[in-house]
């Protein structure tokens, strides 16, 4: 989301909201500030919402959020029209970007935004919280690009927390850039790469057919979680190579 006014504007707060119903309807589709939501064309049986950036965001001090509810039996795909670019702003405070998701019984959500780019001088705290019913299915992709071409990254802290049927499934925090714990760029973490991401797939079918831990190409690993879920973690030299790794995992674990 890199459109409109830039770092000269003041900080803002905005919350966009989505609710998808089993009949394909969107009883709630509410844009706010830089978070513009548009219903877009989808494959048969799916409802699709695309996030379109209305101005540069998030900047330092911004407080942005998206809330998504997938009601019982609904099938929702959420994507974005462009990468999200975290930039420095007038405020010395870090920006915050929260994603809050709930998926009901037999609901399906594919959360597939474009990359998040952490520009030099930016400071962003991003948190994604997911509540899943016992029979819900989820595909969630996160991609972080650490710095634009030829520049060092900003500070980026992300946390992904997922609960299924009221029980913890995954709670993971990652930090990169200035101020992050030492070693984030070392061989045990990024190994000098500037693109990193993960793909989480939750599917009740994994209960009987759990995923096996294995490498997926160079720089990616698939691992089962303590529940009917699999987590793919990947590092790559650039955004294109990262997307190829995660697309290969998506085609294997959760084809449409």
């Amino acid at each position: 989301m890199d459109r409109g006014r830039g770092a000269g504007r003041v900080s803002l707060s905005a919350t966009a909201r989505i609710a998808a119903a089993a009949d394909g309807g969107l009883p709630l589709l509410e844009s706010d500030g830089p978070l513009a939501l548009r219903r877009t064309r989808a494959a048969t049986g799916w409802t699709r919402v695309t996030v379109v950036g209305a101005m540069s965001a998030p900047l330092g001090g911004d407080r942005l959020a998206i809330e998504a509810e997938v009601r019982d039996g609904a099938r929702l795909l959420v994507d974005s029209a462009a990468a999200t670019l975290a930039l420095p702003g007038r405020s010395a405070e870090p920006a915050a970007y929260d994603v809050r998701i709930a998926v009901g019984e037999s609901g399906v959500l594919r959360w597939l935004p474009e990359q998040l780019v952490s520009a030099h001088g930016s400071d962003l705290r991003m948190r994604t919280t997911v509540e899943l019913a016992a029979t819900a299915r989820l595909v969630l992709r996160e991609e972080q690009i650490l710095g634009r071409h030829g520049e060092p990254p900003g500070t980026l802290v992300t946390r992904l927390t997922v609960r299924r049927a009221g029980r913890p499934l995954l709670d993971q925090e990652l930090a990169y850039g200035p101020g992050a714990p030492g070693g984030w760029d070392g061989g045990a973490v990024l190994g000098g790469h500037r693109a990193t991401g993960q793909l989480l797939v939750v599917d009740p079918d994994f209960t009987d057919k759990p995923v096996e831990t294995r490498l997926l190409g160079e720089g990616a690993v698939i691992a089962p979680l303590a529940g009917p879920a699999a987590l793919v973690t990947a590092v790559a030299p650039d955004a294109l190579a990262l997307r190829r790794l995660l697309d290969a995992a998506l085609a294997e674990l959760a084809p449409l």
Side-chain angles (χ1 to χ4, degrees):
M1 300 183 294
D2 183 23
R3 301 181 181 182
R5 294 176 295 165
R9 66 163 172 78
V10 297
S11 302
L12 57 84
S13 296
T15 300
R17 296 177 175 86
I18 308 167
D23 63 2
L26 288 168
L28 179 62
L29 189 65
E30 182 179 287
S31 301
D32 192 11
L35 301 171
L37 306 179
R38 301 288 183 264
R39 180 165 189 160
T40 48
R41 183 176 298 178
T44 302
W46 287 85
T47 302
R48 179 183 174 193
V49 172
T50 298
V51 182
V52 180
M55 65 177 72
S56 296
L59 307 185
D62 285 352
R63 297 291 182 266
L64 307 181
I66 297 180
E67 297 177 352
E69 178 192 5
V70 181
R71 297 179 181 176
D72 294 354
R75 294 161 60 91
L76 176 66
L77 165 64
V78 177
D79 58 12
S80 59
T84 296
L85 180 59
L87 293 165
R90 287 183 175 179
S91 173
E93 293 295 316
Y97 193 165
D98 292 334
V99 176
R100 298 183 283 268
I101 294 169
V103 186
E105 297 291 350
S106 300
V108 185
L109 174 63
R110 296 174 75 93
W111 189 270
L112 300 172
E114 294 300 310
Q115 298 95 345
L116 169 63
V117 181
S118 176
H120 179 58
S122 66
D123 190 349
L124 175 63
R125 306 293 187 268
M126 184 165 186
R127 174 148 193 177
T128 301
T129 306
V130 184
E131 293 283 346
L132 301 173
T135 55
R137 286 175 165 81
L138 172 71
V139 173
L140 184 147
R141 182 181 68 208
E142 293 186 334
E143 298 170 303
Q144 294 92 31
I145 310 303
L146 304 177
R148 292 171 292 191
H149 181 71
E151 72 173 13
T155 297
L156 175 62
V157 179
T158 71
R159 185 168 183 177
L160 173 60
T161 303
V162 183
R163 293 174 60 86
R164 177 179 176 270
R167 302 181 63 180
L169 178 68
L170 177 67
D171 194 354
Q172 175 175 276
E173 183 172 285
L174 303 170
Y176 308 106
W184 65 270
D185 198 24
V189 185
L190 292 180
H193 291 95
R194 282 295 178 264
T196 182
Q198 55 191 358
L199 179 76
L200 174 65
V201 180
V202 183
D203 190 332
D205 289 346
F206 290 162
T207 302
D208 297 324
K209 297 179 180 179
V211 173
E212 296 181 357
T213 301
R214 65 189 185 280
L215 295 176
L216 181 69
E218 183 177 350
V221 61
I222 299 177
L225 300 180
L231 181 66
V232 180
T233 304
V235 296
D238 55 45
L240 181 59
L242 177 67
R243 178 61 61 85
R244 286 173 175 164
L245 285 170
L246 296 181
D247 278 352
L250 181 60
E252 179 178 336
L253 295 174
L256 276 176

